[in-house]
Amino acid sequence: MKITIHQAKTQIKTLPPPPTMSSHHFLPLLFLLLLSLHHSLSSAKRCHPDDERALLQIKAHFNNAEFFKTWTPQTACCRKWTLVYCKRLPNSKIFRVNFLEISGEEGINGEIPSAVGDLPYLENLIFRHLPNLTGPIPPAIGKLTHLQGLLLNWNNLTGSIPPFFSHLTNASFIGLNNNRLTGHIPSFLGHLPNLRGLDLYQNQLTGPIPASFGLLGDDFQLQASDNELSGPIPRSLGRVRFSILELAGNQLTGDASFLFGEDKQELVHLNLSRNKLSFNLTNTVMSDSSELDILDLSHNMIYGQLPTWLGHVSISFQFNVSYNNLCGPIPTDGGALQQYDVSSFSHNKCLCGAPLPPCKPHL
Ligand SMILES: *[C@@H]1O[C@H](CO)[C@@H](O)[C@H](O)[C@H]1NC(C)=O
Ligand SMILES: *[C@@H]1O[C@H](CO)[C@@H](O)[C@H](O)[C@H]1NC(C)=O
Ligand SMILES: *[C@@H]1O[C@H](CO)[C@@H](O)[C@H](O)[C@H]1NC(C)=O
Ligand SMILES: *[C@@H]1O[C@H](CO)[C@@H](O)[C@H](O)[C@H]1NC(C)=O
Ligand SMILES: *[C@@H]1O[C@H](CO)[C@@H](O)[C@H](O)[C@H]1NC(C)=O
Ligand SMILES: *[C@@H]1O[C@H](CO)[C@@H](O)[C@H](O)[C@H]1NC(C)=O
């Protein structure tokens, strides 16, 4: 009994602190991690020889003595290896690796090893904050059909979003943000049936947003700001009830009024800043119970008037319509808009009234 407790404590001590997953959409992964930790302390389990072989290949590929020092054949990968977790297969006594994370380490150089594709029961795969992780995303990842969370963000990956991602039909979150990915956003991503979040922020992606993104499920979190996307936002996106939609810092043109609506109650972040959008804001509507906390439309060519609903929503953090072609009185109804700084409204055609100077009488 003493030995078990001692082993458990040692295991906790040798585990690095949980990964820093700041945004709320990483919470499901953190939960999985804790769940795996609990399992690993409560039952004895062997490392499946195929998993052990693949993991030792990954270790050999990176040749980083410090991070991989716990990864030795003398101990069970499911119990003792840093940031490797296992799960029992249903109706069996066999444990397979379902979670692997390598993040924020010094001296992880080179490409993602193809051996990750030989961990067939992986549900979560994380390589992040590794600036020397380079090259394309390896085709072997297409073999991981059990994957639910795939985080390959804050690295230095190049190439395009690979076609074999279409095999990841169980994926619920794919994070590829802050890399150097190029090429178009493939339209099959809109057809992945379980996808709830896609983060492509800060890459060098070009071309249009696929019309298939109109098939994304409710409560979806789509982040694609700071790329080189162009063309109009597909009208089909008006059908999706996004909770987060961030498309800022691209070259998107035309209408975006269809992203507003009485039915868009889930929407908390809408950031369309720094594009070439041009549409009439006057007739957009939003539900009174909307809980927007970011609405950034700045640096576009949006025209018409500020609609009265804006005075009623609790846009509690960030509101910005500066650098557009808006005109007319800032709605005082509801009072919310008078709380904002002048810089939220500046550089428009002829907006007037508090917090800007009063409207001329003839307006
Ligand atoms: C990345 O590689 C460079 C050059 O080899 C090295 O100086 C640097 O420390 C590496 N960074 C990390 C985080 O490993
Ligand atoms: C990515 O690699 C390039 C050189 O290949 C380097 O200049 C840059 O700093 C790297 N990016 C990051 C985030 O470390
Ligand atoms: C897909 O994920 C669900 C849980 O979200 C799980 O119950 C199911 O077994 C998974 N399917 C595969 C093929 O991994
Ligand atoms: C909107 O996105 C841009 C580009 O990423 C960013 O610079 C800006 O801070 C965002 N606006 C808000 C209010 O978060
Ligand atoms: C914007 O739409 C409103 C309402 O339909 C209309 O009265 C106004 O003329 C339009 N503004 C511009 C600049 O087209
Ligand atoms: C609104 O956006 C403009 C342009 O990006 C910026 O200068 C200003 O500080 C922003 N205002 C607020 C309150 O964030």
Side-chain angles (χ1 to χ4, degrees):
M1 192 58 193
K2 261 180 192 163
I3 289 167
T4 319
I5 290 165
H6 174 74
Q7 279 174 342
K9 279 186 179 157
T10 317
Q11 169 135 5
I12 287 168
K13 262 170 69 185
T14 54
L15 276 171
T20 48
M21 292 176 170
S22 47
S23 302
H24 58 285
H25 54 256
F26 294 132
L27 281 178
L29 285 177
L30 189 59
F31 176 69
L32 276 173
L33 173 74
L34 294 174
L35 207 65
S36 316
L37 176 60
H38 171 74
H39 280 235
S40 75
L41 294 178
S42 59
S43 54
K45 40 195 196 184
R46 293 184 57 237
C47 186
H48 193 279
D50 293 348
D51 290 344
E52 184 179 274
R53 194 175 312 119
L55 290 167
L56 289 174
Q57 275 169 15
I58 294 169
K59 172 177 172 166
H61 171 92
F62 286 122
N63 189 25
N64 175 318
E66 184 55 29
F67 179 77
F68 295 103
K69 65 175 187 278
T70 60
W71 291 27
T72 63
Q74 287 76 43
T75 57
C77 67
C78 299
R79 290 177 57 84
K80 295 284 188 179
W81 294 20
T82 299
L83 291 179
V84 173
Y85 299 103
C86 302
K87 184 173 158 182
R88 185 154 47 141
L89 298 186
N91 309 316
S92 84
K93 288 182 174 159
I94 299 169
F95 283 84
R96 299 300 303 254
V97 169
N98 74 325
F99 183 105
L100 171 63
E101 170 174 1
I102 301 177
S103 64
E105 287 301 314
E106 291 285 317
I108 296 287
N109 303 316
E111 302 195 357
I112 297 176
S114 293
V116 294
D118 300 325
L119 296 167
Y121 291 91
L122 268 186
E123 293 174 345
N124 288 283
L125 176 63
I126 304 174
F127 282 90
R128 66 195 304 249
H129 284 290
L130 304 167
N132 290 342
L133 192 70
T134 54
I137 298 167
I141 287 184
K143 292 194 274 179
L144 301 174
T145 51
H146 290 275
L147 268 190
Q148 294 170 19
L150 177 63
L151 288 189
L152 304 176
N153 50 2
W154 296 95
N155 302 307
N156 223 329
L157 302 174
T158 50
S160 55
I161 299 173
F164 48 81
F165 272 20
S166 62
H167 303 160
L168 306 181
T169 50
N170 219 26
S172 65
F173 189 86
I174 297 179
L176 304 174
N177 53 292
N178 298 84
N179 281 291
R180 291 190 285 141
L181 301 174
T182 50
H184 288 198
I185 299 178
S187 84
F188 66 74
L189 289 173
H191 298 275
L192 290 180
N194 293 302
L195 201 63
R196 306 291 307 278
L198 176 65
D199 193 346
L200 305 173
Y201 178 71
Q202 283 202 359
N203 278 287
Q204 295 155 26
L205 301 167
T206 52
I209 295 168
S212 66
F213 279 18
L215 299 169
L216 298 173
D218 285 349
D219 221 8
F220 201 91
Q221 307 184 349
L222 176 63
Q223 285 145 298
S225 293
D226 294 344
N227 279 284
E228 293 154 30
L229 304 174
S230 55
I233 299 173
R235 275 204 102 73
S236 57
L237 266 63
R239 289 203 296 261
V240 184
R241 292 161 70 160
F242 289 100
S243 58
I244 293 180
L245 181 61
E246 298 185 353
L247 302 173
N250 285 290
Q251 288 133 43
L252 302 169
T253 53
D255 193 7
S257 60
F258 50 83
L259 298 176
F260 300 89
E262 292 279 0
D263 60 334
K264 302 294 191 298
Q265 274 131 341
E266 283 100 338
L267 193 61
V268 286
H269 289 190
L270 181 62
N271 189 343
L272 304 175
S273 168
R274 293 177 196 275
N275 279 290
K276 297 173 181 160
L277 298 170
S278 172
F279 61 94
N280 190 337
L281 196 63
T282 312
N283 281 346
T284 58
V285 286
M286 215 56 179
S287 152
D288 277 352
S289 59
S290 165
E291 288 180 11
L292 270 174
D293 63 32
I294 290 181
L295 178 62
D296 192 345
L297 303 177
S298 61
H299 285 278
N300 280 288
M301 296 176 286
I302 301 168
Y303 54 89
Q305 300 199 357
L306 290 179
T308 49
W309 61 263
L310 281 171
H312 292 274
V313 237
S314 59
I315 304 165
S316 41
F317 300 132
Q318 307 268 5
F319 168 78
N320 206 325
V321 294
S322 66
Y323 295 88
N324 278 293
N325 296 327
L326 295 162
C327 207
I330 295 172
T332 52
D333 209 29
L337 292 179
Q338 279 63 45
Q339 297 164 28
Y340 292 98
D341 193 79
V342 167
S343 72
S344 291
F345 303 93
S346 60
H347 293 90
N348 273 287
K349 194 170 157 202
C350 49
L351 282 181
C352 59
L356 295 179
C359 299
K360 303 237 165 65
H362 66 266
L363 278 174

